[in-house]
Amino acid sequence: MTDREQEILALLRQDPMIPQQELATQLGISRSALASHVSSLTRQGFVMGRGYVLREGPYAVVVGGANMDICGQSQGALRMGDSNPGSVRTSAGGVGRNIAENLARLGTDTRLVTAVGNDQHGHQLLEVSQQAGVDVRQTLVLDGKTTSCYLSLHDGLGEMSCAINAMGIIDELTPARLSPLGGFLAAANVLVLDTNLATGTLDWLFDRHGEQVLFVDTVSVAKVEKIRPWLGRIHTLKPNRSEAEQLCGFAIAGPDTWPRAAHWFHSAGVQRLFLSLGEQGIFYSDGETQGHLPILGCPVSNVTGGGDAFMAGLVHGWLAGSDMAQSTRFALGCAALTVGCHETVFSGLSKAAVERVLEEYPC
């Protein structure tokens, strides 16, 4: 599917009855060009008839944060308390939103449930997500609320020195607002949650949908405690070393401690663990199969977003029926492509792109 066809599908999911001329105008193309794209989508089976009836099939739902990323990077060493020459970039971000965009770019039918304000940043987040193929029909757009913003400062090597997040709007994603989506959530093949969600919202999701396949991104040490009562309902967990230590209560250092940590999480009920060890790579375990893979030796431009791409790769791998080692390797390829670009999400991400980088940098 081409990028233009993905844009068309995103708009059709919002309004399957949209007139063809209006659709062409929104896209800035001629009606005849649109007809050609729609014909292609029909041949591929994505559009099934009059009124743009769309094919429904397996889909993933991501419930989590969405925000505008404002990233400042100095030309050299970052001098705190002083003005630093450098560059400033804005891009669509948020753990949940990033995972959703990466997953859609990999070819998965992906739906995003989050909350944004009825403001410029909110509209931009929705537009960027839709253009990437993410279905945002269930996202809350709230009047009088400010879209989340994440401000980060990086040194000349791309390493983050500090950040400020203003993400209060995510607390508006309450059980009362999610309850009408119960059937929609229950029909998903996989639910992906991030711990930016309020504790009460996570409790409701685990309680109501804990029998489904749940992937959880732990986000940070401060937020990981929210999932402690619900570890037994998590299918796939992706913590980094510090987040895992916060939960298990002991230091995770050399390779001899990795299986011990996995045993603790499996005893708590987690089915699959992917432990991020920074430069040491990934240790994975499902209780029967364990292994370790190093990170790929690709150039690094910006580490922000690498973990989100990794999680998307894990979801894609599971939906494709890949085993633990295959899923980990594919996810590492997704992360490598992402940290190698300056943006939070690599716009060129695709299954084919990941396969190419894995051939170039074998694990």
Side-chain angles (χ1 to χ4, degrees), residues 2 16 25 36 40 59 112 177 186 211 228 245 253 260 269 282 309 353:
T2 66
T25 300
S36 176
S40 173
Y59 64 89
L112 175 63
R177 286 189 164 120
E211 300 304 314
R228 184 182 292 277
E245 289 176 342
R260 181 188 172 199
I282 298 290

Side-chain angles (χ1 to χ4, degrees), residues 44-124:
Q44 295 177 64
F46 290 98
V47 172
M48 299 180 63
R50 295 178 63 184
Y52 300 122
V53 179
L54 303 181
R55 182 189 69 193
E56 289 290 348
Y59 64 89
V61 175
V62 182
V63 189
N67 49 259
M68 287 303 299
D69 285 339
I70 303 175
C71 174
Q73 182 170 351
S74 65
Q75 292 178 357
L78 187 64
R79 297 187 300 275
M80 304 305 291
D82 196 5
S83 177
N84 292 262
S87 61
V88 177
R89 299 184 304 276
T90 61
S91 61
V95 173
R97 199 217 65 84
N98 290 349
I99 293 171
E101 180 176 341
N102 281 301
L103 197 51
R105 291 188 180 281
L106 290 171
T108 297
D109 184 349
T110 307
R111 325 289 175 90
L112 175 63
V113 180
T114 188
V116 299
N118 190 10
D119 53 23
Q120 181 179 354
H121 282 167
H123 299 158
Q124 187 175 350

Side-chain angles (χ1 to χ4, degrees), residues 12-353:
L12 292 179
R13 288 192 177 104
Q14 294 180 74
D15 184 6
M17 301 301 293
I18 186 172
Q20 196 172 75
Q21 183 58 61
E22 182 178 339
L23 183 57
T25 300
Q26 287 191 34
L27 293 166
I29 60 178
S30 68
R31 186 168 179 172
S32 60
L34 174 66
S36 176
H37 289 302
V38 171
S39 177
S40 173
L41 289 168
T42 302
R43 289 194 301 271
Q44 295 177 64
F46 290 98
V47 172
M48 299 180 63
R50 295 178 63 184
Y52 300 122
V53 179
L54 303 181
R55 182 189 69 193
E56 289 290 348
Y59 64 89
V61 175
V62 182
V63 189
N67 49 259
M68 287 303 299
D69 285 339
I70 303 175
C71 174
Q73 182 170 351
S74 65
Q75 292 178 357
L78 187 64
R79 297 187 300 275
M80 304 305 291
D82 196 5
S83 177
N84 292 262
S87 61
V88 177
R89 299 184 304 276
T90 61
S91 61
V95 173
R97 199 217 65 84
N98 290 349
I99 293 171
E101 180 176 341
N102 281 301
L103 197 51
R105 291 188 180 281
L106 290 171
T108 297
D109 184 349
T110 307
R111 325 289 175 90
L112 175 63
V113 180
T114 188
V116 299
N118 190 10
D119 53 23
Q120 181 179 354
H121 282 167
H123 299 158
Q124 187 175 350
L125 285 176
L126 295 181
E127 181 180 358
V128 170
S129 302
Q130 289 170 357
Q131 289 177 349
V134 179
D135 185 334
V136 297
R137 287 177 295 175
Q138 308 302 334
T139 286
L140 297 177
V141 181
L142 303 174
D143 291 327
K145 300 293 181 179
T146 302
T147 298
S148 295
C149 184
Y150 180 81
L151 171 66
S152 60
L153 294 177
H154 301 252
D155 63 21
L157 298 176
E159 294 293 331
M160 187 179 73
S161 296
C162 64
I164 296 174
N165 70 78
M167 302 183 66
I169 196 172
I170 196 64
D171 292 339
E172 300 294 329
L173 203 61
T174 61
R177 286 189 164 120
L178 288 176
S179 186
L181 304 180
F184 161 77
L185 295 171
N189 293 69
V190 56
L191 293 178
V192 185
L193 314 178
D194 78 41
T195 59
N196 285 312
L197 297 168
T199 300
T201 300
L202 282 168
D203 290 346
W204 184 87
L205 286 163
F206 281 119
D207 181 57
R208 296 293 183 90
H209 298 278
E211 300 304 314
Q212 291 179 246
V213 176
L214 297 179
F215 280 56
V216 176
D217 193 297
T218 45
V219 179
S220 70
V221 172
K223 297 177 180 179
V224 73
E225 282 292 338
K226 297 178 184 180
I227 63 171
R228 184 182 292 277
W230 303 104
L231 291 173
R233 298 196 176 182
I234 295 176
H235 178 277
T236 296
L237 186 66
K238 183 198 73 66
N240 64 24
R241 191 197 310 266
S242 298
E243 294 157 358
E245 289 176 342
Q246 175 67 26
L247 288 172
C248 72
F250 56 82
I252 302 173
D256 58 317
T257 63
W258 303 342
R260 181 188 172 199
H263 176 74
W264 187 94
F265 279 98
H266 295 319
S267 296
V270 175
Q271 294 184 43
R272 304 197 313 167
L273 177 72
F274 293 85
L275 180 60
S276 177
L277 300 163
E279 293 184 353
Q280 290 180 288
I282 298 290
F283 178 80
Y284 58 86
S285 173
D286 64 3
E288 296 181 359
T289 301
Q290 293 186 343
H292 170 261
L293 285 174
I295 60 174
L296 305 187
C298 303
V300 175
S301 296
N302 180 11
V303 297
T304 304
D308 304 334
F310 185 88
M311 175 60 93
L314 291 182
V315 177
H316 178 86
W318 183 80
L319 289 171
S322 301
D323 62 28
M324 293 285 285
Q326 291 170 331
S327 291
T328 305
R329 187 168 181 268
F330 184 84
L332 283 168
C334 294
L337 286 169
T338 301
V339 300
C341 74
H342 289 291
E343 304 302 325
T344 309
V345 176
F346 176 47
S347 61
L349 185 68
S350 67
K351 184 173 180 290

